[in-house]
Amino acid sequence: MLYDQEQYGEAIEKYNESMEEFPDSDILNFNLGAAQYKNGNYQEAVDSFTKALNTENKEIEAKAVYNIANTKYKLGSQSANANMDSAIKQYTESLDYYKRSIALDENNSDAKYNHELVERELKVLLDRQKQQKQQQQQKNEDKQDQEQKDQEQDSGESQDKQDAQQKEESQSGQDKKEDQDQEQQAESEKKQEGQQGEEDPADEQQGGSPAEETEKMSPEEARMLLEAFGEEEAMEGEKKKRKGYYPGVLKDW
């Protein structure tokens, strides 16, 4: 037979030709699945072994279940590095089929051994998946922390810039006010200097006229003032008389 000669490709062709005439044959589907498994066509092998389960032959059923378990383990091993979730799914299904195989044939030691092997490998994958999720979660948290720090830094820089701008505007306003105060003070001093340079009309009339001063005197003060004027006039008249009475100085020849 081609299968026994390890000519699995040619064996698959022959089985497919026979399947055209007997598509529901349990033994043909089982043998086709075995050739596909040996040829590395694992997903096609699962499909063929699953069709072989439609049988009344318990021996073929038990072997088909066992082969499905092995094939799913192979599928899981192929995707363990590239797709861990898929590998975990295949390993889990493989364990279920091993349990079913043991239930159909308690003497199947290979099924028991393989079940323990896949169970250990599944645990390794689950631990690796958990570790990767923790690492991814830590990365996400670190990323969020960094984004938050960046936002706080940007916000702080924006606040500092705003404070500096407000301080600059306040200082500018203060300088402007000081300039205005200085201008007002200079203008006020200029006005004061101008007022001091002008003559005070009141100063020109400070002496006043005798008549005005008389109006401000009491009647008694006015009388005394008149008497004083009268005495002065009398003394002046007396001086004039005396001057006219004395003869002039004679020449001394």
Side-chain angles (χ1 to χ4, degrees), residues 29-56:
N29 278 297
F30 182 87
N31 290 338
L32 176 61
Q36 290 167 335
Y37 177 90
K38 290 291 187 178
N39 202 45
N41 304 334
Y42 298 121
Q43 187 57 57
E44 294 176 1
V46 170
D47 296 337
S48 296
F49 287 135
T50 302
K51 291 178 181 179
L53 293 176
N54 187 21
T55 180
E56 295 180 359

Side-chain angles (χ1 to χ4, degrees), residues 10 66 70 72 77 79 98 106 134 137 142 174 182 210:
E10 290 80 352
Y66 175 75
N70 288 339
K72 284 188 171 290
S77 298
S79 60
Y98 280 130
E106 296 181 355
Q134 289 176 346
Q137 182 178 0
D142 293 342
Q174 185 176 357
Q182 290 177 358

Side-chain angles (χ1 to χ4, degrees), residues 84-216:
M84 188 177 298
D85 292 337
S86 176
I88 291 174
K89 179 177 180 295
Q90 295 295 341
Y91 281 177
T92 302
E93 292 177 357
S94 175
L95 289 174
D96 292 338
Y97 277 99
Y98 280 130
K99 291 177 182 178
R100 183 176 171 182
S101 176
I102 294 170
L104 291 171
D105 184 5
E106 296 181 355
N107 296 322
N108 192 339
S109 58
D110 291 337
K112 294 178 182 178
Y113 176 83
N114 290 347
H115 182 277
E116 294 178 359
L117 173 65
V118 176
E119 194 172 37
R120 288 195 300 269
E121 293 194 16
L122 176 61
K123 185 178 183 304
V124 171
L125 278 183
L126 290 173
D127 291 340
R128 189 190 304 173
Q129 183 188 53
K130 182 179 179 181
Q131 184 178 4
Q132 287 183 354
K133 287 183 177 180
Q134 289 176 346
Q135 291 175 350
Q136 185 62 40
Q137 182 178 0
Q138 185 63 42
K139 287 181 180 179
N140 293 336
E141 291 176 356
D142 293 342
K143 183 179 179 180
Q144 291 177 355
D145 292 341
Q146 186 61 43
E147 289 177 352
Q148 184 176 359
K149 288 180 181 178
D150 293 341
Q151 291 177 355
E152 291 176 353
Q153 183 177 358
D154 293 341
S155 177
E157 291 177 355
S158 177
Q159 185 64 39
D160 292 342
K161 185 177 181 180
Q162 185 177 358
D163 292 343
Q165 184 177 359
Q166 290 178 352
K167 184 177 180 181
E168 183 178 354
E169 292 175 354
S170 177
Q171 183 65 36
S172 177
Q174 185 176 357
D175 293 342
K176 185 176 181 180
K177 185 177 183 302
E178 290 178 356
D179 293 341
Q180 291 176 349
D181 293 341
Q182 290 177 358
E183 290 177 0
Q184 291 177 356
Q185 184 177 359
E187 185 177 352
S188 177
E189 291 176 354
K190 186 176 181 180
K191 286 182 179 180
Q192 290 179 358
E193 291 176 356
Q195 290 176 355
Q196 290 177 358
E198 296 178 356
E199 294 182 355
D200 190 352
D203 292 341
E204 296 177 356
Q205 300 177 1
Q206 185 175 4
S209 63
E212 291 176 350
E213 292 180 357
T214 303
E215 290 178 358
K216 295 179 182 180

Side-chain angles (χ1 to χ4, degrees), residues 27 56 75 239 249:
I27 189 64
E56 295 180 359
L75 286 171
K239 287 180 180 180
V249 178

